[in-house]
Amino acid sequence: MSTFTGFLRSRSDDDLVALLRGRPDLAVPSPTTIASLGVRATSRGSLERALASVDAGVLQVLEAVVALGPDADVRAAIADTAAGVELVDSALERAGELALIFRDAEGLHPAPGLAELLGPYPAGLAPASPTDPPADVVDVLPEAPAGVAPVLDALTWGPPVGLAPSNATATAAAVDWMVRRRLLVMGDGRHVVLPRTVALALRRGRTHRAAALAPTPHFATRLPATVAAEGTDAGERIVRLVAQLGRLWEENPAGVLRSGGLGVRELRRVATELEVDERLAALVVELAAAAGLVGDDGEELPSFVPTVAMDEWSVAPVATRWGLLASTWLATTRTPWLVGGRDEAGTVRPALSPDLNRAWAPRLRRSVLGMLAAQPAGAAPDADAVLEVLAWRTPRSVPPVAAVAAVLAEAADVGVLGAGALSDAGRALLSSADEAVATFEATLPPSLDEILLQGDLTGIVPGRPSDELEALIARTARVESRGGAVTVRFTADTVRLAFDDGATAEGLLAELARFSRGPVPQPLEYLVRDAARRHGRLRAGAASSYLRSDDPALLAGLVDNPKLSGLGLFTLAPTVLAAQAPTRELIDALRAQGLAPAAETPDGHVLHVAREVRRVGRRGRAAA
């Protein structure tokens, strides 16, 4: 028999390139010799990764080769239909390409170490033994008592080991009958084993009941226009929610837990402000952090705040902003769907917790989207249908159905899916982020720069608002609904926000008129002017101390005194001055000018300010 290393040496350059592409772990670090490549390809870790990536058809072929040995007729052992034969041939080619099997003059051989990973009973067959009976022992089965058939039915297709009954029953008598005729052999303790020769005779030489053909699940289909519309709408929404999160945290940063996550109350506040449920709020927070748009500010009392990248992202086109979020979601190791669940210690997992990293998350997302991409356009399978296909594609690494359902839900929220089907932009995302951005941009409806203002203080944008109009709405109104049109409502509180940002009544009315289809309705104009009139009637500022005196002339002289200019004195009333300097500094400066000020308490009582006295600790004498 030729060696595995010899097999690798006989491979062409194209074959070796295909091997490294199929098993990328073999290429890092780059192998220096064929011998080192062979050692790495037969290591337990590399073989486990390779087995985790092959489909059920390849796995059947590997089991048949390991179970039957070099002279195995793999086609006859697995397939009984033309489709099955085609599957086996394709699986043999794939297994050889991955160097999981190799052929020499004696026949097919598994890669060294592979048999150990497939377990003690590959294809449900017991190991070969010199004491195995001949296959013709099954000729006595027509004379078998009634209890024999159920036992053989349970053991024939594996596992081949069973536990013999300890009591005097019909099953115990049947087991004893088969042991005496060598249909079963005794193992350790009360275990009995179905010999490999007997099992193959009962299976008529087959290792598997049938070839593992790819499943064809049934699922709903959606119209392309529906998929595009819903996917685009969801994509715009996730962009808008991340932008809202940035505005929320730039004004009211969220505290960081000692464990590094976001508190449950803070997540609840985010959900309330964004008007979404906590599941979607967790996705928005995690997505913004993974994209580098928000992060820990690193202060002594740390908070989550927007980063400088948020400023650049916010002014980019909608499609570009969506492209960053979608590509980040596809590649991130974060698992937002675990937020709110409990870990092994029973502790609730917070958003942005370091515990939410899972290295397999990107592979799962690509597997789910890859399954959808392989279906006809508009296919909208549910989690069970997706899992059925994934279980065939990677039978040794089947994900939990809850994780598959979570990925589908997140894909819908991000805009990769529309109405449950893979959108064109989502399909492009699997190959190129730039192509996905261009595809998403092509599906965006044209933006509008006009709003229909109505007398009931509402406004309607009959389509997708432009970025400039969206910014005006965010500063002056509250969005009541979104869909084919955007409905907003103006209130005294929403208009005040514009004045807080420095707007004037005339400027705001002119801006509204520029976007309005007609003149600004009179009720809205009254609302704006009334809000402007009331805005700023109360003034607030900062001061560190104050002076008051019954002599206005004395205070006026202090404000004009150039020697006191460093105190930041300014007049609040004829008998009251405010200062930027602390009280002690103010008193010391006035006393230096020959005045005799006194400090007072908030209720007007004189307060005697103690002199500041400095001392140093006792010093010992120098050594003699």
Side-chain angles (χ1 to χ4, degrees):
M1 183 185 85
S2 63
T3 63
F4 182 74
T5 302
F7 160 73
L8 290 180
R9 285 197 178 97
S10 68
R11 308 290 281 175
S12 67
D13 290 345
D14 291 341
D15 292 337
L16 292 177
V17 169
L19 170 61
L20 296 179
R21 285 178 174 171
R23 297 173 63 178
D25 61 292
L26 300 181
V28 181
S30 179
T32 56
T33 65
I34 291 294
S36 65
L37 176 63
V39 171
R40 193 178 302 171
T42 55
S43 66
R44 185 180 184 90
S46 181
L47 286 173
E48 284 181 339
R49 283 188 285 271
L51 286 178
S53 67
V54 300
D55 61 40
V58 175
L59 193 60
Q60 280 188 335
V61 164
L62 298 177
E63 289 176 341
V65 171
V66 170
L68 299 182
D71 56 350
D73 184 350
V74 179
R75 278 184 174 180
I78 298 175
D80 57 356
T81 64
V85 170
E86 184 180 351
L87 174 70
V88 170
D89 289 344
S90 174
L92 281 169
E93 182 179 354
R94 179 61 176 165
E97 184 181 273
L98 297 177
L100 296 174
I101 60 173
F102 64 99
R103 186 185 296 274
D104 63 8
E106 297 179 10
L108 283 173
H109 303 275
L114 183 65
E116 181 184 353
L117 294 181
L118 292 180
Y121 310 119
L125 293 171
S129 171
T131 61
D132 283 348
D136 58 6
V137 297
V138 298
D139 293 343
V140 301
L141 286 179
E143 306 168 5
V148 169
V151 174
L152 291 180
D153 288 343
L155 300 179
T156 296
W157 291 100
V161 179
L163 189 64
S166 59
N167 50 0
T169 61
T171 302
V175 169
D176 182 64
W177 184 89
M178 286 186 285
V179 169
R180 283 187 282 108
R181 286 159 180 78
R182 302 180 66 193
L183 292 168
L184 296 178
V185 296
M186 294 302 301
D188 59 318
R190 292 166 41 213
H191 290 95
V192 292
V193 180
L194 183 68
R196 158 195 216 84
T197 52
V198 176
L200 286 173
L202 295 173
R203 298 180 182 189
R204 302 183 185 279
R206 301 175 61 81
T207 56
H208 298 82
R209 294 179 188 268
L213 299 176
T216 54
H218 299 285
F219 40 74
T221 57
R222 309 289 187 227
L223 295 174
T226 302
V227 175
E230 293 207 12
T232 303
D233 184 65
E236 286 187 279
R237 185 190 187 203
I238 199 70
V239 169
R240 188 169 58 251
L241 291 176
V242 171
Q244 286 182 252
L245 177 70
R247 290 193 294 270
L248 173 64
W249 279 359
E250 70 183 4
E251 296 178 1
N252 299 294
V256 180
L257 297 176
R258 291 183 180 179
S259 61
L262 181 71
V264 174
R265 291 183 180 177
E266 289 290 352
L267 180 62
R268 202 168 292 151
R269 178 170 74 95
V270 170
T272 301
E273 292 292 334
L274 301 187
E275 298 181 343
V276 298
D277 58 27
E278 292 186 25
R279 182 198 65 80
L280 183 52
L283 174 62
V284 171
V285 167
E286 288 283 350
L287 201 53
L293 303 178
V294 298
D296 187 335
D297 60 7
E299 298 292 336
E300 184 176 355
L301 293 176
S303 299
F304 291 113
V305 297
T307 65
V308 292
M310 176 69 83
D311 298 327
E312 300 173 4
W313 178 83
S314 299
V315 297
V318 173
T320 302
R321 285 184 276 168
W322 175 84
L324 175 63
L325 298 180
S327 57
T328 298
W329 171 80
L330 185 63
T332 183
T333 59
R334 305 291 296 172
T335 50
W337 67 83
L338 296 180
V339 173
R342 295 187 179 273
D343 58 18
E344 293 76 8
T347 305
V348 175
R349 291 189 178 96
L352 302 181
S353 167
D355 184 46
L356 295 179
N357 281 312
R358 299 291 187 275
W360 46 261
R363 293 197 306 273
L364 175 60
R365 293 189 183 98
R366 282 196 170 272
S367 296
V368 172
L369 297 188
M371 180 270 172
L372 293 171
Q375 308 305 316
D382 59 12
D384 291 331
V386 173
L387 187 64
E388 183 182 355
V389 175
L390 295 184
W392 178 84
R393 287 186 174 181
T394 56
R396 288 178 66 93
S397 58
V398 181
V401 65
V404 174
V407 168
L408 289 173
E410 288 185 359
D413 290 329
V414 174
V416 174
L417 301 185
L422 189 65
S423 66
D424 290 340
R427 194 180 301 272
L429 184 65
L430 289 171
S431 56
S432 167
D434 292 338
E435 184 180 345
V437 169
T439 305
F440 185 83
E441 188 170 22
T443 61
L444 281 172
S447 60
L448 296 178
D449 270 330
E450 59 180 28
I451 181 172
L452 177 60
L453 299 176
Q454 304 184 102
D456 60 353
L457 299 180
T458 62
I460 298 176
V461 182
R464 182 173 71 90
S466 65
D467 291 343
E468 194 175 1
L469 180 55
E470 186 76 57
L472 175 63
I473 290 172
R475 289 187 294 115
T476 61
R478 183 183 72 251
V479 176
E480 292 191 330
S481 67
R482 290 184 183 268
V486 180
T487 303
V488 302
R489 179 171 294 278
F490 298 89
T491 67
D493 289 336
T494 61
V495 171
R496 177 181 56 78
L497 295 177
F499 295 132
D500 290 342
D501 290 339
T504 63
E506 297 301 329
L508 183 56
L509 288 173
E511 194 171 6
L512 288 171
R514 181 163 65 90
F515 289 102
S516 177
R517 279 188 175 180
V520 177
Q522 193 176 56
L524 179 56
E525 182 179 353
Y526 286 168
L527 175 70
V528 171
R529 294 190 183 282
D530 183 60
R533 185 170 53 255
R534 290 186 288 109
H535 188 266
R537 292 176 64 184
L538 290 177
R539 301 294 179 93
S544 295
S545 55
Y546 68 88
L547 281 175
R548 68 182 182 88
S549 172
D550 294 335
D551 184 358
L554 175 61
L555 294 183
L558 296 178
V559 173
D560 298 333
N561 189 339
K563 295 182 179 180
L564 300 178
S565 59
L567 299 176
L569 294 171
F570 57 94
T571 303
L572 292 180
T575 58
V576 181
L577 299 182
Q580 299 297 322
T583 302
R584 176 175 290 280
E585 183 181 340
L586 175 64
I587 289 176
D588 290 344
L590 294 176
R591 286 175 177 172
Q593 297 300 314
L595 301 175
E600 69 176 8
T601 61
D603 57 2
H605 290 86
V606 174
L607 177 66
H608 297 286
V609 180
R611 292 180 298 116
E612 183 177 356
V613 179
R614 300 181 62 188
R615 294 288 187 273
V616 68
R618 181 187 298 274
R619 296 181 179 179
R621 294 183 179 181

